[in-house]
Amino acid sequence: MVASETPGATSEAPAPWTSPEYVDAVIDLLGAIGYGELSAFQRMGEDAKLAPTLTDQIQMDRLATYEFAHLEAIAARLVELGADADETLGRFQDSFETFHEYTSPADWWEGLVKVYVGDGMARDFYREISSMLDPETRAILLAATDGGGHQDFVLPRVKAACDDDARLASRLALWGRRLMGEALSQAQQVIAQREALAGLLAGGPAMPGLDLAELTKMFGRITDRHVERMKALGLDH
Amino acid sequence: MVASETPGATSEAPAPWTSPEYVDAVIDLLGAIGYGELSAFQRMGEDAKLAPTLTDQIQMDRLATYEFAHLEAIAARLVELGADADETLGRFQDSFETFHEYTSPADWWEGLVKVYVGDGMARDFYREISSMLDPETRAILLAATDGGGHQDFVLPRVKAACDDDARLASRLALWGRRLMGEALSQAQQVIAQREALAGLLAGGPAMPGLDLAELTKMFGRITDRHVERMKALGLDH
């Protein structure tokens, strides 16, 4: 493991990638992200059954397998960091399963919008958080923001369906807001429950981190991009 | 596409890999196998939820992603052969969904035995049938017999559980026989419904194929190997 590469030689102390506080925090973070990927894989596989055609179903299944590949990379990093990968993932099972219970799609369209919103938010979050992380972990998260084509799959399908059906558009606009609300609510609960993770996000003596103002700004940026994506779908009522 | 490589220069005519009858038959065959892989992926993803631990669940999900990778290779070959991959897969949807409805596992153990039996039979069938096929298609089926580790995953778990529980062992022995019976019954119906496929299996003027006696022997060998595998599980009552 190369852990010496620090971003720029500024007057600040080098990022303490080896401190126990940092390692605990990044293990928590990867556990949360990893379980998120696992549950996305599982739920997309289920939601694929709502597809109107076999072609759409297979494409949704294909996108699901990308989530599983991300999980594999994350689990391997957890092992490198000395963690028990499955135990670490398991810490976040309840939160994600609660999220998915509250956001079980009623039909194919809600399933598509959920993929679009979830994939978009995950990628924004990975990009934002990766700037605080050691180079190896950062590389894994940035790799997970690439590929799959979730947005390209969803966009034309939902736009075409909503062009023909104003009631569907209005229902999906509401659904998009609900997904975002539930995601933020579960994310906040996870951060509150996991001290190490909260330490990473809020920063501290042994941690690069963000202060509270920056953290608020980060969630603000993620929310803004969600709104932009819903606009791209034509669902910005 | 290289389609000139024929197995050995015997006195027989070279296998007619380019005849319309052969191409139709191999398209049907790949459609059946491909839908089988797709439905295995989907059902294993569902049955993974029965797992007693997150580790087992993730491992079952991982095995499922192998089935999807096989499907991708098969779908690519269908396109090379000039077929609409999804339409071809769709021809076999009802048969496989009926099979899965009749063999929905009641618990984790039945799910494990289903993976073991299904994977074993599929691999035996791919090996048997591949000897009748053009080199490209043969290579894809033989590649699909490799990897995944389904047998190694299931064997120790089921053996350990049955050692402690004679009633479970007896139930799973019955379950294994039922899976085999349902699989053979659906396979026969598929062959009866698909003229091109029946032509491939039974042989004919434009087809290498097997005669009826050889076909019966092939199914006999697959059944024998199933019985051996159930014996290896300790479920040969």
Side-chain angles (χ1 to χ4, degrees):
Chain A
M1 273 193 294
V2 182
S4 56
E5 192 187 311
T6 50
T10 65
S11 59
E12 293 172 78
W17 307 135
T18 53
S19 78
E21 290 88 348
Y22 174 76
V23 173
D24 282 355
V26 82
I27 285 172
D28 252 10
L29 178 71
L30 291 175
I33 290 176
Y35 197 89
E37 295 282 5
L38 175 66
S39 67
F41 166 78
Q42 290 167 339
R43 298 293 172 145
M44 284 166 72
E46 277 174 53
D47 297 345
K49 286 183 282 183
L50 301 167
T53 67
L54 188 58
T55 300
D56 280 343
Q57 185 186 317
I58 292 174
Q59 183 56 21
M60 180 82 109
D61 283 333
R62 181 173 293 125
L63 294 177
T65 66
Y66 280 86
E67 315 301 340
F68 199 83
H70 299 161
L71 166 63
E72 297 279 34
I74 287 161
R77 182 67 185 143
L78 279 168
V79 172
E80 278 178 4
L81 291 168
D84 176 328
D86 297 344
E87 183 276 319
T88 311
L89 297 169
R91 297 174 193 168
F92 302 95
Q93 186 163 19
D94 288 349
S95 302
F96 279 97
E97 295 305 327
T98 302
F99 169 75
H100 287 297
E101 268 166 48
Y102 283 135
T103 60
S104 181
D107 62 12
W108 171 242
W109 307 110
E110 290 191 3
L112 278 182
V113 171
K114 187 174 172 181
V115 166
Y116 179 84
V117 167
D119 172 70
M121 278 200 300
R123 295 206 289 172
D124 285 340
F125 177 65
Y126 296 177
R127 275 196 208 98
E128 291 276 356
I129 201 84
S130 66
S131 66
M132 287 189 259
L133 302 175
D134 62 276
E136 290 84 359
T137 308
R138 188 190 309 151
I140 287 166
L141 290 195
L142 291 178
T145 64
D146 195 35
H150 297 63
Q151 310 290 316
D152 293 345
F153 174 63
V154 173
L155 225 134
R157 283 167 175 76
V158 169
K159 273 183 87 86
C162 288
D163 278 351
D164 294 344
D165 187 342
R167 279 188 59 182
L168 177 66
S170 150
R171 173 159 67 87
L172 292 181
L174 197 65
W175 173 246
R177 281 200 296 281
R178 203 173 120 204
L179 288 168
M180 185 67 187
E182 291 290 351
L184 286 176
S185 148
Q186 285 302 321
Q188 276 166 347
Q189 281 187 42
V190 165
I191 294 166
Q193 281 159 14
R194 304 296 312 172
E195 212 174 310
L197 194 56
L200 175 68
L201 291 168
M207 211 63 91
L210 303 166
D211 61 25
L212 199 63
E214 276 188 89
L215 187 64
T216 309
K217 276 191 212 159
M218 182 184 92
F219 278 110
R221 283 192 299 273
I222 292 177
T223 306
D224 286 349
R225 291 204 201 100
H226 165 74
V227 171
E228 280 165 31
R229 270 190 301 270
M230 294 302 284
K231 221 174 254 179
L233 274 186
L235 300 182
D236 53 328
H237 331 281
Chain B
M1 271 192 294
V2 181
S4 57
E5 191 187 311
T6 51
T10 66
S11 58
E12 293 172 75
W17 306 137
T18 53
S19 78
E21 291 88 347
Y22 174 76
V23 173
D24 282 356
V26 82
I27 285 173
D28 252 10
L29 178 71
L30 291 176
I33 290 177
Y35 197 88
E37 294 282 4
L38 175 65
S39 67
F41 166 77
Q42 290 167 339
R43 298 293 172 145
M44 285 166 70
E46 277 174 52
D47 298 344
K49 287 183 280 181
L50 300 167
T53 66
L54 187 58
T55 300
D56 281 343
Q57 184 185 319
I58 292 174
Q59 182 56 20
M60 180 82 110
D61 283 332
R62 180 174 294 126
L63 294 177
T65 65
Y66 279 87
E67 315 300 339
F68 199 82
H70 299 161
L71 165 64
E72 297 279 34
I74 288 161
R77 182 68 186 140
L78 280 167
V79 172
E80 279 178 2
L81 291 167
D84 176 329
D86 296 344
E87 184 275 320
T88 310
L89 296 171
R91 297 173 192 169
F92 302 94
Q93 187 163 18
D94 288 349
S95 301
F96 278 97
E97 295 305 328
T98 302
F99 169 74
H100 287 296
E101 267 166 49
Y102 283 135
T103 59
S104 180
D107 62 12
W108 171 243
W109 307 109
E110 291 191 2
L112 278 183
V113 171
K114 186 173 173 182
V115 167
Y116 179 85
V117 167
D119 172 70
M121 279 199 299
R123 296 204 290 171
D124 284 340
F125 176 66
Y126 296 177
R127 276 196 206 97
E128 291 276 355
I129 201 85
S130 66
S131 66
M132 289 190 258
L133 303 175
D134 62 277
E136 290 84 358
T137 308
R138 188 189 310 149
I140 287 165
L141 289 195
L142 291 178
T145 64
D146 196 35
H150 297 62
Q151 310 290 316
D152 293 344
F153 174 62
V154 172
L155 225 133
R157 283 168 174 77
V158 169
K159 273 182 86 87
C162 288
D163 279 351
D164 294 345
D165 186 342
R167 279 187 60 181
L168 177 66
S170 150
R171 173 159 67 88
L172 293 181
L174 197 66
W175 173 246
R177 281 201 295 281
R178 202 173 121 206
L179 288 169
M180 185 66 188
E182 292 290 352
L184 286 177
S185 148
Q186 286 300 321
Q188 277 167 347
Q189 282 188 41
V190 165
I191 294 167
Q193 282 160 12
R194 304 297 312 174
E195 214 175 308
L197 194 56
L200 175 68
L201 290 169
M207 212 61 90
L210 302 167
D211 60 25
L212 198 64
E214 275 188 90
L215 186 63
T216 310
K217 276 191 211 158
M218 182 184 91
F219 279 111
R221 283 193 298 274
I222 292 177
T223 306
D224 287 348
R225 290 204 202 98
H226 165 73
V227 171
E228 280 165 32
R229 271 191 299 272
M230 292 303 284
K231 222 174 255 180
L233 275 186
L235 300 182
D236 54 328
H237 332 279

